[in-house]
Amino acid sequence: MLCTVARNAGDEDFIYRCASIPISDQWWWSVSPMHQGRRNFLAQCRQSGNLEVLFRSVVSDLFPGGCRFAGMKTMHVVAAHGHSATQYTVSMMRMLRDDAEAKSKGLETFRGLEAASALTICKLVFCGIIQGMWTHLRHVPLLNTENLVCSSHACPSRGNMGAIYHHQRYGRGWHVNDGDGGVSYLPCVHCWVDYELILFVHLFD
């Protein structure tokens, strides 16, 4: 209120671009009429390229079935800037496609996140956004046999990931915080990824 220099510095794009705002606060500010000023603050963060705000915004637009083309375009831009949770989401969406090249790119990104020990935090961030949406607005990605990453008929674990997921989640109370959910013993990395795709879809539950 007293320092013009400080006030002007607070209006710099750099400040909006680097602002750290919890996901839950972003959601509440965006829907509550009590927070018009904070909604304007979020809009300025988006315009300035704040990756966390852009990620929440694009997930909120993409999965309730809004403008999917525009959403995926923005998602790829945010992922290209190194935002791990966005990279995780893009990798999952790519591997859910019936496209060998897309699956290969998604798998490469997924393995990079796994090597960086970033998968658990990525799932927690994504889950936090999805669970903040109204249930009836969630556009759940489709998962079927055509989406499988493991295509080897000689693989002994192929096609069993649904049963393993059901056992891990409902049998022993597995939670997203548990990292790989206890399937790191699988010799086939493609089956492990199929398990992760099932988990990704069930993050919408």
Side-chain angles (χ1 to χ4, degrees):
M1 294 173 64
L2 299 176
C3 180
T4 304
V5 175
R7 184 188 63 204
N8 292 340
D11 283 333
E12 293 289 337
D13 281 351
F14 175 79
I15 300 298
Y16 292 106
R17 189 162 57 247
C18 297
S20 179
I21 312 163
I23 293 294
S24 57
D25 287 344
Q26 291 184 41
W27 180 84
W28 179 241
W29 292 359
S30 66
V31 299
S32 173
M34 298 170 57
H35 296 301
Q36 181 62 47
R38 290 170 179 170
R39 279 209 298 276
N40 293 339
F41 179 78
L42 287 178
Q44 288 176 289
C45 287
R46 282 195 299 273
Q47 293 167 7
S48 300
N50 186 301
L51 298 182
E52 292 291 343
V53 175
L54 280 170
F55 178 60
R56 189 207 67 82
S57 178
V58 75
V59 168
S60 299
D61 290 342
L62 185 64
F63 290 103
C67 185
R68 295 181 61 80
F69 175 77
M72 283 306 296
K73 183 177 180 180
T74 306
M75 188 81 79
H76 284 290
V77 170
V78 178
H81 281 82
H83 189 265
S84 297
T86 312
Q87 292 173 340
Y88 165 76
T89 307
V90 169
S91 73
M92 293 291 109
M93 295 303 293
R94 278 175 167 165
M95 291 189 289
L96 283 170
R97 291 172 55 185
D98 302 332
D99 180 329
E101 183 179 356
K103 285 184 182 295
S104 178
K105 289 181 179 178
L107 179 60
E108 181 181 354
T109 302
F110 178 86
R111 294 301 301 273
L113 292 169
E114 187 267 333
S117 302
L119 285 178
T120 297
I121 188 61
C122 290
K123 285 182 272 191
L124 287 170
V125 171
F126 180 81
C127 186
I129 298 174
I130 290 297
Q131 294 301 314
M133 297 179 188
W134 296 110
T135 306
H136 69 283
L137 292 178
R138 299 174 195 168
H139 183 84
V140 182
L142 294 177
L143 181 63
N144 51 48
T145 54
E146 285 73 30
N147 297 130
L148 292 176
V149 176
C150 182
S151 58
S152 173
H153 294 286
C155 177
S157 54
R158 182 176 183 266
N160 294 320
M161 296 304 101
I164 293 176
Y165 170 83
H166 189 273
H167 171 72
Q168 296 289 64
R169 178 169 182 176
Y170 302 104
R172 74 177 185 90
W174 172 80
H175 186 265
V176 67
N177 275 326
D178 291 347
D180 59 23
V183 294
S184 58
Y185 65 87
L186 291 172
C188 176
V189 66
H190 291 163
C191 281
W192 175 36
V193 172
D194 284 333
Y195 179 90
E196 289 287 342
L197 287 175
I198 294 171
L199 167 60
F200 176 72
V201 170
H202 281 283
L203 291 179
F204 292 78
D205 291 349

